[in-house]
Amino acid sequence: MRFGRTGVYRAFMFSSPTILAITPEACKQVLMDDESFVTGWPKATVTLIGRKSFVSMPYEDHRRLRKLTAAPINGFEALTTYLGFIDQTVVDTLRRWSEAGEVEFLTELRRMTFKIIVQIFMSGADDRTMEALERSYTDLNYGMRAMAVNLPGFAYHRALKARRKLVSVLQGVLDSRRAATAKGFTRSSSMDMMDRLIEAEDERGRRLADDEIIDVLIMYLNAGHESSGHITMWATVFLQENPQILARAKAEQEEIMRRIPPTQKGLNLRDFKKMQYLSQVIDETLRCVNISFVSFRQATRDVFVNGYLIPKGWKVQLWYRSVHMDSQVYPDPSKFDPSRWEGPPPRAGTFLPFGLGARLCPGNDLAKLEISVFLHHFLLGYKLTRTNPKCRAAFSSSSSAAAAPPPPPPASRHVAASFAPASISARLGSNSRSEMDGVVSASADATGDQPMNVYVWDMDETLILLKSLLDGSFAGTFDGLKDPDRSIDIGKRWENLILELCDEHFFYEEIENYNEPFLSAVSEYDDGKDLKTYDFEADSFSSPYDDLNKRKLAYRHRAVGEKYTKGLEKILDSHMVKVWNDLYSATDKYTDGWFSSAHELLEEAMGKSTADPTAKHSSINCIVTSGSLIPSIAKCLLYRLDDVVEVENVYSSWEVGKLQCFKWIKERYDGPNVRFCAIGDGHEECSAAQIMKWPFVKIEFRPDAPHRFPGLNLSTIHRLMDVVYKSSSKDG
């Protein structure tokens, strides 16, 4: 970089003082810190997409909406339903192109992806509705990138009219759905996304309002149509221009086809998960020509990024393309090389096609599914022949950020190609690739970074109390001030509640002997089967522990994960919810607030609390427990840790040991500006932390001990981390 690797640059854009963030470290900090940065999209964009969509709402509203829409958009059941239609649409489209001869490739791809996304939203939409949506959406899309001039003749004015039409069409469909439901009519077709959004409920029984559903759908019209079409086009072009890569991707798809049973109709999610090399091709395409090249945030307070102060109220633009073309992260960044994605996943902040953090694009799995299905069928039976090969389709880079390529000559503005069995013709329109953006300059070098912290917590006798309640040792530290019989009674009630939840709702009697270290450990065996009507009791385990039983275990793991996401109030009946609430309150009172203060500290660690004014970044909580995985997940729910610890961040060291779990966590989250800290009460986590060279905080029971709850605070943990990491940096 010409002016040094500062990562942040000052500008004035959209009538606001603006900071441009272009390095992984700067982008990651901004994206992960939901307390210091809120969304800052231009008002014109928010007006067109909708104020009730993800792009503009506050953190808590966003969290609620995201939780409600996760299953309808990216859930296993939803993706399984959508896959059948995507598969058939792609097959029909490719056949039609091959019969037509020459087609304008991008235009036809966009038409195909639009048809898919509309049918996913509203299955059975008639041609008239489809045409109305497509016309209005095209005007809306152009207006989002235009000057916000609301006068006749300007793109933004047309876009506002288009939004009103889209809202009218979608509201009409919503009204008819609700009216049919009120009259008791049952839809003949399977549930689509609109049905799922209508039925979605949060833990308080609240459902989405019509304007929320409409804004979500309009947002996905853009994300699920525009981006998918462009990335599919570029992946196809890159494959054609790299015969060795194409041959390897094709061989993988042929092997998948050989393993599909003759009785299976079309692709399923298990086939999709086997497309590992094709996934690398798609990731490399997303890196090279990511359509969503910029994201917008706004500082809610004075905050330092890479050592530079961003004043409260200033806008921040995150330039993803600069990150993806950073030669320090991706050697030879202008080379299309899917093999760079082999091995462990990329460090957080280095790969941002779908964003990062709490506002990660919720449709990422659906988008990759759609692209993968098209490339699967293309590789197996078709060839793209560009009838205008002089059209510029390659890109180059002379620095860590992508340089904007010169425009192609006028005669090469449209690339045509043919689609036929083994030979396809298509035309790439002039808008087939947005221009790569150049680097912005700065005047100083970076002086420091705000770190991202990963807190690795023990569970029992650290965040929660159980053993010490059952044996009275907790009461014993209070020199007779605590009633030990009361302690034992509380412990036994917790023990019964944990076992009941595990056995009644988490299949523990069946899978007790099949403990895994984390929930996704057997996900490769999950074929995505719809579990809504799946009979778990009939399809029980049998000997030996083979692939069939691992698939059954993967089903149960998936069901447990979905229940964890929904929350305990969706699992227990009203009586048991009251029992649980009463027991939690009684225990918290008996322990002088151990549970509630532990929860508050974990909230603070994630940046959800303003209790610590020094907490200027969001971080991550992981749990590594010596207990079995399923009871540990049940404990997280019962002790109300599910909103501060994601289910995939719960690890069982029962068989592998805590050191191995620590290593997995480090591999998953490691980076140049990431710090780890272990907190627990036992020797094993202390020893593992020493080997990993992590700071360790030992939890104690004594009422006057500083490392207990309440008492332990984030400042204490951070002071220890500062000492250890400063010492490590001097040594190394």
Side-chain angles (χ1 to χ4, degrees):
M1 294 183 182
R2 183 180 174 187
F3 292 93
R5 192 178 175 83
T6 64
V8 292
Y9 306 99
R10 187 172 66 182
F12 194 84
M13 304 178 72
F14 295 98
S15 304
S16 300
T18 302
I19 296 297
L20 307 179
I22 71 166
T23 60
E25 298 81 10
C27 288
K28 183 176 73 172
Q29 180 184 340
V30 174
L31 290 170
M32 296 294 288
D33 190 350
D34 293 308
E35 186 178 341
S36 299
F37 297 97
V38 295
T39 56
W41 291 85
K43 291 181 180 179
T45 303
V46 173
T47 300
L48 293 176
I49 291 294
R51 300 186 184 280
K52 296 295 181 69
S53 69
F54 288 117
V55 300
S56 65
M57 56 179 48
Y59 174 78
E60 286 301 326
D61 292 338
H62 173 270
R63 183 167 175 264
R64 170 182 172 265
L65 185 60
R66 189 183 183 90
K67 195 170 183 178
L68 280 173
T69 58
I73 293 161
N74 267 351
F76 281 97
E77 181 183 345
L79 290 178
T80 301
T81 303
Y82 305 152
L83 177 55
F85 179 77
I86 294 171
D87 192 37
Q88 189 58 52
T89 302
V90 168
V91 170
D92 293 344
T93 300
L94 285 168
R95 185 183 301 116
R96 179 171 55 81
W97 289 353
S98 67
E99 294 169 354
E102 183 177 309
V103 297
E104 194 169 284
F105 190 24
L106 178 62
T107 301
E108 292 299 323
L109 269 176
R110 292 174 76 247
R111 194 163 288 158
M112 180 193 76
T113 55
F114 190 81
K115 180 179 180 181
I116 288 173
I117 203 68
V118 170
Q119 287 299 326
I120 286 174
F121 287 168
M122 301 173 292
S123 59
D126 55 33
D127 292 341
R128 185 176 178 182
T129 300
M130 188 88 68
E131 291 173 6
L133 288 171
E134 187 172 9
R135 284 196 305 269
S136 298
Y137 167 73
T138 301
D139 286 341
L140 180 80
N141 190 47
Y142 283 132
M144 283 175 22
R145 293 163 175 81
M147 294 180 64
V149 180
N150 188 16
L151 293 173
F154 286 85
Y156 184 69
H157 179 78
R158 288 195 301 272
L160 288 173
K161 292 174 64 178
R163 174 177 167 80
R164 288 194 289 270
K165 290 180 182 177
L166 281 171
V167 170
S168 177
V169 171
L170 294 172
Q171 186 66 62
V173 178
L174 264 175
D175 291 342
S176 63
R177 295 276 177 98
R178 294 193 188 281
T181 302
K183 293 178 181 179
F185 295 146
T186 303
R187 284 167 45 77
S188 57
S189 57
S190 58
M191 289 183 69
D192 54 27
M193 192 180 292
M194 182 176 280
D195 291 325
R196 297 171 193 273
L197 293 175
I198 290 172
E199 292 190 1
E201 280 188 5
D202 64 12
E203 63 277 3
R204 298 179 183 177
R206 295 177 299 175
R207 295 194 173 190
L208 295 172
D210 284 3
D211 56 347
E212 291 177 311
I213 294 174
I214 288 171
D215 282 354
V216 167
L217 293 178
I218 289 176
M219 179 189 67
Y220 277 105
L221 272 173
N222 181 61
H225 156 55
E226 197 72 22
S227 299
S228 297
H230 281 78
I231 295 302
T232 302
M233 181 200 74
W234 278 101
T236 308
V237 170
F238 286 144
L239 285 168
Q240 289 288 136
E241 292 183 343
N242 295 272
Q244 290 182 329
I245 295 173
L246 185 145
R248 183 176 172 185
K250 183 176 181 179
E252 179 186 64
Q253 304 312 303
E254 289 173 340
E255 178 62 23
I256 290 171
M257 287 299 294
R258 278 194 291 270
R259 292 179 177 272
I260 291 179
T263 55
Q264 179 177 315
K265 184 179 179 181
L267 296 169
N268 60 32
L269 284 183
R270 186 167 188 176
D271 302 324
F272 167 60
K273 291 183 178 181
K274 292 177 182 176
M275 300 178 185
Q276 296 180 0
Y277 186 69
L278 191 61
S279 177
Q280 294 174 23
V281 170
I282 295 170
D283 285 346
E284 182 68 349
T285 305
L286 287 164
R287 182 190 70 83
C288 292
V289 290
N290 186 52
I291 300 302
S292 300
F293 62 91
V294 66
S295 184
F296 297 83
R297 295 290 189 271
Q298 181 173 341
T300 60
R301 60 187 182 188
D302 291 353
V303 59
F304 283 89
V305 174
N306 281 12
Y308 292 91
L309 174 67
I310 299 179
K312 177 181 178 180
W314 278 39
K315 304 284 187 179
V316 180
Q317 290 186 19
L318 306 153
W319 286 74
Y320 297 156
R321 283 187 180 161
S322 297
V323 173
H324 292 166
M325 301 304 290
D326 188 336
S327 60
Q328 293 191 26
V329 179
Y330 300 103
D332 194 5
S334 62
K335 180 182 179 182
F336 183 78
D337 181 15
S339 65
R340 71 172 84 238
W341 298 100
E342 295 173 354
R347 291 184 290 105
T350 60
F351 186 54
L352 303 167
F354 300 108
L356 184 70
R359 295 183 183 268
L360 180 77
C361 174
N364 55 343
D365 289 342
L366 177 58
K368 289 196 72 171
L369 177 66
E370 188 176 349
I371 298 165
S372 298
V373 171
F374 178 90
L375 294 177
H376 166 82
H377 290 293
F378 165 75
L379 287 164
L380 289 175
Y382 297 89
K383 180 181 179 182
L384 177 74
T385 304
R386 291 169 55 194
T387 57
N388 192 347
K390 292 183 179 181
C391 175
R392 184 182 181 89
F395 66 95
S396 61
S397 175
S398 57
S399 69
S400 60
S412 304
R413 279 292 193 183
H414 300 278
V415 180
S418 349
F419 270 89
S423 169
I424 297 190
S425 249
R427 175 175 299 171
L428 306 183
S430 59
N431 61 344
S432 61
R433 182 172 186 268
S434 304
E435 290 186 350
M436 294 291 230
D437 298 278
V439 217
V440 242
S441 53
S443 57
D445 293 324
T447 58
D449 294 321
Q450 287 291 342
M452 172 177 161
N453 296 325
V454 179
Y455 307 97
V456 184
W457 303 88
D458 178 45
M459 177 181 282
D460 293 307
E461 311 311 309
T462 298
L463 294 175
I464 69 172
L465 302 176
L466 184 58
K467 181 178 178 296
S468 61
L469 292 176
L470 283 167
D471 64 15
S473 57
F474 177 81
T477 63
F478 285 80
D479 296 327
L481 296 178
K482 296 280 186 186
D483 180 1
D485 292 335
R486 173 69 170 154
S487 170
I488 294 169
D489 175 65
I490 289 174
K492 287 182 177 179
R493 289 166 64 190
W494 276 116
E495 192 175 47
N496 292 335
L497 196 54
I498 292 166
L499 291 173
E500 182 175 349
L501 181 62
C502 288
D503 291 340
E504 294 295 324
H505 301 281
F506 284 177
F507 319 103
Y508 191 55
E509 284 188 358
E510 290 184 86
I511 63 179
E512 184 175 2
N513 296 324
Y514 302 99
N515 186 63
E516 294 288 345
F518 45 86
L519 207 61
S520 61
V522 289
S523 61
E524 63 181 292
Y525 297 96
D526 191 336
D527 59 6
K529 184 181 181 69
D530 183 1
L531 301 182
K532 191 172 185 180
T533 57
Y534 181 72
D535 191 341
F536 285 99
E537 292 185 6
D539 195 18
S540 58
F541 284 80
S542 58
S543 225
Y545 186 45
D546 55 9
D547 286 2
L548 177 62
N549 278 308
K550 288 178 182 177
R551 186 203 68 196
K552 295 175 182 178
L553 181 61
Y555 287 171
R556 285 155 177 81
H557 276 195
R558 193 207 319 164
V560 169
E562 290 174 353
K563 289 180 178 181
Y564 187 96
T565 302
K566 290 179 181 178
L568 203 55
E569 290 185 351
K570 290 288 186 180
I571 300 174
L572 304 178
D573 59 32
S574 57
H575 169 70
M576 290 306 300
V577 168
K578 185 178 186 306
V579 170
W580 164 51
N581 286 333
D582 290 347
L583 180 57
Y584 186 94
S585 298
T587 311
D588 203 44
K589 183 178 180 180
Y590 179 84
T591 59
D592 303 317
W594 188 289
F595 294 170
S596 57
S597 60
H599 186 277
E600 287 174 6
L601 182 58
L602 265 68
E603 270 196 328
E604 192 177 339
M606 293 181 68
K608 291 185 177 183
S609 169
T610 58
D612 179 5
T614 67
K616 298 183 178 180
H617 52 272
S618 294
S619 296
I620 293 167
N621 291 316
C622 296
I623 287 179
V624 178
T625 173
S626 56
S628 296
L629 180 65
I630 297 304
S632 299
I633 290 174
K635 288 178 184 178
C636 283
L637 282 166
L638 287 167
Y639 291 95
R640 301 181 179 175
L641 300 175
D642 52 307
D643 65 331
V644 289
V645 180
E646 296 182 358
V647 71
E648 59 266 26
N649 284 339
V650 180
Y651 293 79
S652 166
S653 65
W654 180 270
E655 295 173 350
V656 299
K658 292 200 171 180
L659 178 60
Q660 177 59 65
C661 292
F662 283 16
K663 289 179 178 178
W664 282 333
I665 292 171
K666 182 174 175 59
E667 288 174 5
R668 183 176 176 190
Y669 292 112
D670 199 17
N673 201 29
V674 178
R675 309 190 309 175
F676 298 85
C677 183
I679 307 101
D681 73 309
H683 172 74
E684 187 184 5
E685 55 262 31
C686 177
S687 176
Q690 287 178 341
I691 294 172
M692 299 296 291
K693 297 183 179 179
W694 292 354
F696 176 72
V697 177
K698 180 173 174 58
I699 297 295
E700 303 172 277
F701 289 151
R702 290 185 298 104
D704 58 341
H707 295 170
R708 71 186 305 277
F709 298 107
L712 182 64
N713 56 60
L714 209 57
S715 297
T716 300
I717 297 175
H718 284 177
R719 281 196 297 270
L720 178 60
M721 294 175 75
D722 290 341
V723 170
V724 172
Y725 278 92
K726 285 178 182 177
S727 174
S728 298
S729 64
K730 290 177 182 178
D731 295 341

